């Protein structure tokens, strides 16, 4: 219910942008909500979460849990940061619904943007993170988020996208492909 509450919340309706051909908008978040309702995408509570983050999306059965799961570390999503992280993982679910193989760095870049858009819309501030690597990514994503909020049809310069992608690579993400194979 907490996940559906975020997806049905008012700030999600204002998330709209295209990043390297990936369109992310409210309609796609609605599709994730429908897939959760239809049990095509599951939501799993795991207090540890595989990558020690706040949440993760698992597109395939490779870690002992079934495919197409949003795994959250907390049962409740009471902070804007937790809610924005959920939105980040929902972008990976969107990418899986579309069923494309994507470069992990670009997949993450497209997910960090709505996380920052949502958080800025809700709080008026950028996402704060205690991890230096994550903080650097958010610092690169926030100006793009502000640009997306201000424009009806935002476009990002190559330099902006490369800056965000460089921060993501420097945080340890590799350019390997992620096989989003559909839900």
């Amino acid at each position: 219910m907490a996940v559906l509450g975020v997806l049905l919340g008012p700030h999600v309706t204002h998330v709209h942008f295209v990043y390297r051909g990936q369109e992310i908008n409210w309609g796609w978040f609605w599709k994730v909500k429908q897939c959760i309702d239809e049990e095509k995408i599951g939501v799993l509570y795991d207090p540890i979460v595989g990558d020690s983050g706040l949440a993760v999306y698992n597109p395939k059965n490779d870690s002992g849990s079934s495919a197409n799961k949003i795994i959250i570390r907390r049962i409740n999503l009471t902070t804007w940061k937790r809610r924005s992280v959920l939105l980040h993982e929902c972008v990976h679910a969107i990418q899986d619904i579309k069923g494309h193989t994507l470069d992990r760095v670009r997949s993450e870049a497209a997910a960090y943007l709505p996380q920052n858009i949502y958080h800025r819309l809700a709080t008026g501030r950028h996402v704060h993170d205690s991890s230096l690597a994550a903080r650097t990514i958010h610092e690169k994503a926030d100006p793009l988020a502000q640009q997306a909020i201000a424009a009806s049809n935002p476009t990002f310069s190559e330099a902006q996208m490369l800056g965000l992608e460089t921060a993501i690579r420097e945080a340890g993400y590799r350019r390997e492909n992620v096989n989003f194979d559909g839900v």
Side-chain angles (χ1 to χ4, degrees):
M1 295 310 298
V3 170
L4 295 178
V6 171
L7 293 174
L8 296 172
H11 302 299
V12 177
T13 62
H14 300 289
V15 175
H16 179 254
F17 64 92
V18 177
Y19 186 87
R20 296 205 184 271
Q22 298 178 61
E23 183 172 15
I24 305 295
N25 59 33
W26 182 78
W28 282 108
F29 290 111
W30 183 260
K31 183 66 176 170
V32 171
K33 180 240 180 261
Q34 287 177 316
C35 286
I36 291 170
D37 286 343
E38 296 167 5
E39 298 180 2
K40 293 178 181 177
I41 293 177
V43 177
L44 177 68
Y45 162 69
D46 180 347
I48 298 171
V49 180
D51 65 356
S52 301
L54 295 175
V56 66
Y57 177 76
N58 187 22
K60 54 187 185 257
N61 190 2
D62 62 356
S63 63
S65 65
S66 60
N68 309 319
K69 293 273 193 220
I70 297 170
I71 305 168
I72 58 175
R73 191 174 187 181
R74 304 258 192 260
I75 293 174
N76 58 31
L77 299 172
T78 55
T79 68
W80 292 112
K81 182 175 179 182
R82 290 180 193 162
R83 293 174 188 166
S84 70
V85 168
L86 171 71
L87 214 65
H88 175 117
E89 299 307 329
C90 285
V91 169
H92 296 311
I94 290 166
Q95 293 166 337
D96 197 27
I97 290 168
K98 293 180 179 184
H100 299 293
T101 298
L102 293 173
D103 173 286
R104 181 172 298 281
V105 170
R106 289 182 175 181
S107 170
E108 289 297 329
Y112 271 100
L113 282 174
Q115 178 180 356
N116 280 270
I117 292 168
Y118 180 87
H119 194 275
R120 185 158 279 285
L121 285 168
T123 68
R125 298 181 314 268
H126 63 65
V127 177
H128 294 281
D129 206 294
S130 58
S131 157
L132 177 60
R135 191 168 50 242
T136 302
I137 294 170
H138 290 302
E139 287 170 359
K140 293 290 184 183
D142 186 58
L144 279 73
Q146 291 180 61
Q147 184 176 335
I149 292 168
S152 61
N153 190 16
T155 58
F156 307 114
S157 73
E158 186 67 20
Q160 289 174 306
M161 292 184 291
L162 286 175
L164 177 57
E165 291 167 9
T166 298
I168 290 169
R169 273 193 305 282
E170 289 173 355
Y173 291 95
R174 296 186 306 270
R175 290 205 75 108
E176 66 198 14
N177 284 337
V178 180
N179 185 20
F180 291 117
D181 57 358
V183 298

